[in-house]
Amino acid sequence: MKGDKGARVKPLAPRIMAKRVFSGVQPSGSLTIGNYLGALRNFAKLQHEAECLFCVVDLHALTVPQDPKELHQRTLDVARIFVASGIDPDLATIFVQSHVPAHAELSWLLECTTYDGELRRMTQYKEKAARQEVVTSGLLTYPVLMAADILLYQADEVPVGDDQKQHLELARDIAVRVNNRFDEEIFKVPEPYIPPKTAGGRIMNLQDATEKMSKSAENPRGNIAILDSPDEIRRKIKSAVTDSGREIYYDEVNKPAISNLMVIYSLCSGQSLDEIKSAYVGSGYGQFKSDLAEVVVETLAPIQKRFTELSEPGVIEAILAEGRRKAEPLALPTLRRFQDRLGLLALS
Ligand code: AMP
Ligand code: TRP
């Protein structure tokens, strides 16, 4: 492909909002406190400083087998959790990926500018493919669909957890490649917004601190789901693995399990890691864990309450319909411009 590197690009016309933010969450399982601390909490903050689009990426979920009824329900539930976590549909646009067909259309066009080797190198592809009996081509091209989600909206910033870093780098590479090829800024090159580990960028599994907490994990004991009952939360934290010794301090290498619990404690309570360490000098893991459970229960209680209120029929559906109405007109100009530059015949 012509000019992958180095060519200058013409800037886009200035926008009204200083910054546009895009992020997506798959409706592929029960959202965890990792999703909340690593992503959703930041979405709610960003909506005050940028024009935000938050998308339930249902097409991404189809890359692995899904039960249709569950997918339907989870799509609505993820949107409800967005709102329950503080995303205000009057400030941010909340919508479903498949409601804006431009995502799938742009994805195809971008697949034709992405190399097979780039996709086969993706760590998440290798991990997920190893776990599947049948590997679909959608699983391989998944990061291109993600690039399409982001590039379609000319997003400046993409808030995600640490696990999405490689996918975002690919989205940037694709944008630069297309811009260079046409010597024009067809796509804004997006910046990642990834919190450091101590700020929730990577919350680990409670049963295995070497694994990321994941909503699609086979064993839910290591996850705290946002909708878990207080008793489930207490039980899971009580049975969380700990490290040798009985002191409580942050040390990712030698005390990965306690460090992870401390990060959760810190983000839920607003206390610093140092404050937590001082508060538990000499008290052992038992007291720390039982206090942590209460802090987590208190953090999730208001989200769970709002979630229940949003379960009234029609409420979330109306928010999603409005979201689609706002998102689609933002997406189409980029798609049409790229189609034109590629030589595709315009609709008449
Ligand atoms: P997913 O669950 O893969 O759809 O992810 C939705 C968002 O939550 C993405 O931004 C992920 O990077 C983030 N996320 C998922 N799991 C974690 C975790 N264990 N720690 C921090 N962020 C996470
Ligand atoms: N791949 C992301 C994940 O699993 C979800 C996602 C899809 C996304 N499209 C996106 C995240 C666009 C940010 C921007 O977490």
Side-chain angles (χ1 to χ4, degrees):
M1 201 158 294
K2 184 188 148 207
D4 260 21
K5 286 196 174 77
R8 280 202 339 270
V9 292
K10 296 184 197 108
L12 278 176
R15 265 194 242 107
I16 302 163
M17 259 303 216
K19 196 164 72 171
R20 189 177 281 167
V21 163
F22 183 99
S23 197
V25 176
Q26 295 187 62
S28 54
S30 207
L31 295 200
T32 70
I33 198 164
N35 293 119
Y36 176 68
L37 298 175
L40 299 176
R41 211 172 51 105
N42 296 323
F43 296 178
K45 283 189 200 146
L46 283 165
Q47 68 185 345
H48 299 290
E49 39 185 273
E51 178 186 359
C52 290
L53 292 125
F54 299 120
C55 186
V56 187
V57 289
D58 53 349
L59 299 176
H60 275 96
L62 292 176
T63 54
V64 296
Q66 298 290 341
D67 174 81
K69 275 209 186 97
E70 273 182 26
L71 180 64
H72 182 108
Q73 186 60 42
R74 282 175 176 161
T75 301
L76 295 169
D77 284 351
V78 171
R80 289 186 180 108
I81 288 184
F82 277 0
V83 181
S85 307
I87 300 169
D88 178 348
D90 290 333
L91 294 178
T93 299
I94 300 173
F95 71 108
V96 176
Q97 188 183 32
S98 65
H99 288 179
V100 180
H103 290 244
E105 287 181 77
L106 180 60
S107 182
W108 173 256
L109 303 180
L110 297 179
E111 272 177 47
C112 298
T113 71
T114 309
Y115 310 120
D116 168 80
E118 286 178 301
L119 298 176
R120 291 194 190 280
R121 271 202 298 279
M122 293 286 129
T123 315
Q124 204 169 74
Y125 167 70
K126 288 194 264 184
E127 281 171 12
K128 285 194 181 176
R131 275 188 265 134
Q132 298 297 320
E133 268 175 42
V134 178
V135 178
T136 65
S137 43
L139 195 64
L140 181 66
T141 57
Y142 169 116
V144 187
L145 179 59
M146 177 163 163
D149 298 339
I150 299 164
L151 303 183
L152 203 47
Y153 295 94
Q154 307 289 350
D156 299 278
E157 210 169 89
V158 182
V160 280
D162 165 85
D163 59 325
Q164 297 302 313
K165 203 171 175 178
Q166 204 184 24
H167 291 162
L168 260 171
E169 273 158 19
L170 181 73
R172 287 168 56 87
D173 288 348
I174 294 174
V176 169
R177 181 177 306 156
V178 170
N179 291 346
N180 286 346
R181 175 172 172 205
F182 294 101
D183 192 19
E184 180 186 351
E185 195 181 33
I186 310 267
F187 301 121
K188 184 110 200 183
V189 181
E191 293 293 333
Y193 174 98
I194 301 174
K197 213 168 167 187
T198 50
R202 194 171 178 81
I203 300 294
M204 308 310 282
N205 186 301
L206 300 188
Q207 291 296 321
D208 178 356
T210 63
E211 286 279 320
K212 170 192 96 142
M213 190 183 282
S214 160
K215 62 175 140 65
S216 45
E218 270 159 39
N219 179 1
R221 254 189 359 135
N223 288 346
I224 298 174
I226 294 176
L227 299 179
D228 274 349
S229 70
D231 280 346
E232 276 168 309
I233 295 171
R234 291 185 186 107
R235 207 167 340 111
K236 286 179 182 177
I237 292 181
K238 199 169 172 193
S239 70
V241 294
T242 46
D243 311 292
S244 53
R246 58 190 306 275
E247 312 79 24
I248 289 152
Y249 59 90
Y250 188 87
D251 178 344
E252 241 180 69
V253 177
N254 299 309
K255 291 221 171 215
I258 285 296
S259 298
N260 184 44
L261 297 180
M262 283 183 81
V263 168
I264 299 174
Y265 196 129
S266 166
L267 297 174
C268 290
S269 68
Q271 292 177 48
S272 69
L273 295 171
D274 276 347
E275 284 167 337
I276 298 167
K277 177 181 162 194
S278 311
Y280 289 96
V281 170
S283 62
Y285 294 155
Q287 183 63 45
F288 169 71
K289 278 177 155 189
S290 87
D291 292 350
L292 170 63
E294 296 318 308
V295 169
V296 172
V297 167
E298 269 173 43
T299 301
L300 297 181
I303 300 175
Q304 297 180 350
K305 183 165 172 279
R306 271 180 265 144
F307 178 88
T308 310
E309 290 157 8
L310 287 159
S311 300
E312 189 106 339
V315 175
I316 201 67
E317 289 85 347
I319 291 173
L320 293 173
E322 175 61 16
R324 184 194 74 81
R325 272 196 294 278
K326 290 197 278 177
E328 193 155 44
L330 299 178
L332 284 178
T334 299
L335 176 66
R336 296 288 174 248
R337 193 151 64 112
F338 188 40
Q339 287 171 326
D340 173 74
R341 299 305 189 268
L342 286 167
L344 300 179
L345 211 56
L347 297 167
S348 50

